[in-house]
Amino acid sequence: MAATDIGTVLVTGGAGFIGCALSQRLAARADRWVVLDNLHPQVHPSAERPAELHAAAELVKGDVTSPDDWNALLADVKPDIIIHLAAETGTAQSLHEATRHAEVNVVGTTQMLDALGRAGHTPRQFLLSSSRAVYGEGEWRREDGTVFAPGQRSHAQFERHEWDFEGARPLPSEGSRTRPAPTSVYGATKLAQENILSAWTSSHDVALTILRFQNVYGPGQSLINPYTGIVSLFSQMAMRGESIPVYEDGLITRDFVYIEDVAASLESVIGDLETGSTPFDVGSGVGTTIMQLAQHIADFHGAPAPHVTEQFRDGDVRHAECTIERTTAELDWEPEWSVERGIASLQQWIAARV
């Protein structure tokens, strides 16, 4: 199937941040672009159709965990491609709302597959938006060159302010090499999604493309959800002239990837039935410390310098970044937005809304 002829597309969670951005690129090119979304109040406080969702998108309000909602949808829609974005995404929140995350992310996925079976329909391709959270802390290299997986930092380590693993440095993750070892309930549920879809698609000869996104940010992200979007939260603090609080020693590292680069990565694989199921890492390819991020935002607004609090979150990983060489080599995609440019764009978008 050529990317210019993408047939009928079903996007779960397609009224969210990523789904709306993707709809602007592709909805008008599809025979049908159908969005299934429950418009959860944590993301959609008014429960109304988001303005950012392309006019060509058909919005169906429904829950991925509901068999009845699936039955009704698949009685009308026979998707050629399913883009599975629906998920609970709060890493910290998942430690306290594990059942909710498991029900939406894991059971919601199996309900979708069971409904396809009841409908007697098999799509040509699944695209799954997975997460860098499946790696957990990833791999580190000791001074003698040996590579090890340190696992999760303990609460006792945090209390002692032992932020790093002594005598070692972190390695960027890569989907064909790094063994997944999630340290959050959220990460565990995303890995379960990958495994479930891999097993199902292999048994049904359906193409599966898994994209593991790093920290996605940009215009369109929620400004009210306290569990996601550290960039937007920092931005609003700086706009108010506040000093941004930075956890641990400020040297936590993340790969911040701009929303348009994320949408472009999905666009590059839609309709491609040859990519295989080995996950692709989607990020900027550049690690940024939380202090650097906060300083960029503070500088933009002329806000006071960020300050280190030495607070911490149990289960948080120290370093999370990826290498994107295989992704850019095998897909027709590469990131175009630097962190500095992306942050500036986001500030302008937020300023128009607050």
Side-chain angles (χ1 to χ4, degrees):
M1 182 188 298
T4 54
D5 178 19
I6 56 178
T8 296
V9 180
L10 171 62
V11 190
T12 69
F17 179 30
I18 296 174
C20 284
L22 187 61
S23 77
Q24 293 297 328
R25 289 174 171 264
L26 291 175
R29 290 165 47 192
D31 293 342
R32 294 181 71 183
W33 186 273
V34 182
V35 167
L36 177 67
D37 202 297
N38 68 354
L39 300 179
H40 195 283
Q42 188 165 292
V43 180
H44 305 277
S46 67
E48 297 177 351
R49 180 189 177 103
E52 296 82 4
L53 185 63
H54 194 281
E58 304 172 39
L59 176 60
V60 176
K61 187 173 181 180
D63 197 307
V64 292
T65 66
S66 169
D68 290 340
D69 287 351
W70 275 113
N71 291 342
L73 176 66
L74 294 177
D76 173 59
V77 181
K78 306 300 180 188
D80 298 298
I81 299 170
I82 297 178
I83 304 174
H84 194 33
L85 304 179
E88 292 290 347
T89 59
T91 302
Q93 186 180 19
S94 71
L95 292 175
H96 308 289
E97 298 185 23
T99 299
R100 176 178 162 190
H101 281 70
E103 184 170 5
V104 174
N105 299 355
V106 181
V107 176
T109 301
T110 57
Q111 290 283 18
M112 170 178 61
L113 299 178
D114 289 349
L116 286 168
R118 291 192 299 271
H121 179 73
T122 304
R124 298 178 185 177
Q125 183 188 25
F126 264 104
L127 273 65
L128 173 64
S129 66
S130 190
S131 169
R132 56 91 184 161
V134 303
Y135 295 120
E137 191 62 60
E139 297 175 332
W140 288 55
R141 176 174 284 136
R142 298 186 181 91
E143 294 175 354
D144 64 6
T146 57
V147 175
F148 71 107
Q152 186 169 345
R153 293 179 293 172
S154 68
H155 183 80
Q157 283 178 282
F158 284 129
E159 289 284 4
R160 295 193 297 268
H161 293 177
E162 294 176 3
W163 310 127
D164 282 303
F165 297 96
E166 187 175 356
R169 60 182 180 85
L171 298 176
S173 300
E174 202 284 306
S176 65
R177 171 183 54 80
T178 309
R179 181 180 66 86
T183 57
S184 67
V185 172
Y186 166 64
T189 63
K190 294 302 290 185
L191 184 58
Q193 280 187 331
E194 291 188 12
N195 291 333
I196 289 166
L197 281 175
S198 180
W200 192 92
T201 55
S202 294
S203 297
H204 291 79
D205 294 328
V206 174
L208 171 64
T209 306
I210 299 170
L211 300 178
R212 289 175 175 166
F213 297 137
Q214 296 287 312
N215 286 65
V216 186
Y217 75 101
Q221 69 184 103
S222 174
L223 300 181
I224 62 169
N225 188 347
Y227 296 101
T228 59
I230 187 175
V231 186
S232 67
L233 295 176
F234 281 6
S235 299
Q236 292 175 82
M237 289 179 184
M239 286 179 179
R240 295 192 296 265
E242 300 173 8
S243 171
I244 299 170
V246 179
Y247 279 20
E248 299 187 19
D249 59 355
L251 299 182
I252 301 169
T253 303
R254 297 291 184 267
D255 182 331
F256 295 97
V257 57
Y258 192 70
I259 181 60
E260 289 301 322
D261 285 334
V262 168
S265 72
L266 284 162
E267 182 180 15
S268 75
V269 295
I270 192 168
D272 184 348
L273 308 184
E274 306 298 328
T275 54
S277 59
T278 300
F280 292 98
D281 297 284
V282 175
S284 70
V286 177
T288 300
T289 69
I290 301 301
M291 178 56 79
Q292 288 172 328
L293 171 74
Q295 191 64 62
H296 283 316
I297 295 171
D299 289 345
F300 185 93
H301 294 286
H307 63 282
V308 170
T309 67
E310 296 189 336
Q311 292 173 277
F312 56 84
R313 293 192 313 178
D314 287 317
D316 216 358
V317 300
R318 176 64 167 173
H319 294 287
E321 59 182 289
C322 68
T323 177
I324 58 173
E325 279 78 4
R326 185 175 68 90
T327 304
T328 58
E330 296 187 23
L331 305 183
D332 183 20
W333 172 86
E334 61 181 334
E336 297 182 354
W337 289 76
S338 67
V339 170
E340 293 82 1
R341 181 185 170 208
I343 286 173
S345 175
L346 178 62
Q347 306 316 300
Q348 295 163 2
W349 181 81
I350 294 176
R353 285 158 175 79
V354 297

